[in-house]
Amino acid sequence: MSRRFGLALALALVPAAGCDFVARVAANESAVVAARASHSLETHWDPVLVGRGLPGTILQLEGLYAVVPENEGLGLQLSQAYASYAYGWLEDEAEDAEARGDLEGQAETLARIRHVNERARNIALHHLRTRNPGIDAAIASGPEGLMAFLREHYRSRDLAWLLFWVGYPWAGAIQASQGDPALVLDLPTARAFV
């Protein structure tokens, strides 16, 4: 009886494991297609259309990233999409709200900018940690220690994009924080990454 139960359980688990495998393969392949297609967004002639579509793109990338969070290329594409959306569209919304005298709307949009940039930074930082677990100790050592660590471990220009997508959205979050001391103190760290 226990053999039959064991066999039945094993047979029941095989399709579930297979579905996860298929989903991971599909997500990785979709990430490749998304990376190739992203150039069309970067060069599209209508920034309003791109701005309206970017939240949907971000949500699709988030869905893929939830399936394959170890996919560095996908993670950095998502980080770039978030930071680009914050800079290219949300910052304009905050400025428009300020111009209208809508300080509450401006504060809400600045909070969104901060959170979007923090998400972008955290995704890129996750992949940096995967490459080198010593990055947290380097950050804790202060800007000079961090710069020395980055110079020692990231000499290739091919890795510059990884460092940039940590630092750039970090600086964007600081800018949107309106002087929050907890973030402003991180500015030298963000600069080191950029």
Side-chain angles (χ1 to χ4, degrees):
M1 183 71 154
S2 65
R3 280 188 185 172
R4 285 185 191 162
F5 178 73
L7 180 60
L9 181 61
L11 289 174
L13 291 177
V14 168
C19 288
D20 185 53
F21 174 75
V22 170
R24 294 176 62 72
V25 168
N28 278 315
E29 289 302 315
S30 294
V32 170
V33 171
R36 289 182 183 163
S38 68
H39 182 68
S40 66
L41 284 178
E42 295 168 3
T43 59
H44 198 277
W45 56 271
D46 187 351
V48 174
L49 181 64
V50 173
R52 289 181 181 159
L54 202 48
T57 300
I58 289 170
L59 291 175
Q60 287 178 331
L61 292 173
E62 277 284 7
L64 294 172
Y65 192 65
V67 176
V68 286
E70 71 280 359
N71 186 316
E72 184 179 276
L74 177 61
L76 294 179
Q77 187 177 3
L78 180 57
S79 180
Q80 180 180 359
Y82 271 126
S84 298
Y85 182 60
Y87 176 75
W89 289 273
L90 292 179
E91 286 187 15
D92 286 348
E93 283 183 29
E95 289 174 8
D96 290 347
E98 181 183 30
R100 290 189 313 271
D102 181 6
L103 299 182
E104 186 176 312
Q106 180 192 22
E108 287 175 13
T109 304
L110 287 172
R112 287 182 65 207
I113 293 168
R114 177 178 173 172
H115 293 302
V116 162
N117 275 311
E118 287 175 337
R119 175 68 175 145
R121 175 205 60 201
N122 292 344
I123 292 167
L125 193 54
H126 162 73
H127 291 287
L128 198 56
R129 286 178 178 128
T130 300
R131 282 181 175 265
N132 193 325
I135 192 66
D136 288 316
I139 292 170
S141 72
E144 293 81 20
L146 175 60
M147 286 293 291
F149 178 87
L150 295 176
R151 283 190 187 110
E152 180 181 344
H153 294 280
Y154 296 93
R155 293 180 180 209
S156 167
R157 289 182 182 264
D158 295 339
L159 297 175
W161 50 271
L162 179 58
L163 302 178
F164 180 79
W165 290 114
V166 172
Y168 176 73
W170 202 335
I174 293 167
Q175 181 180 358
S177 74
Q178 296 189 315
D180 180 349
L183 271 180
V184 170
L185 292 174
D186 288 343
L187 187 57
T189 302
R191 279 191 185 139
F193 278 107
V194 173

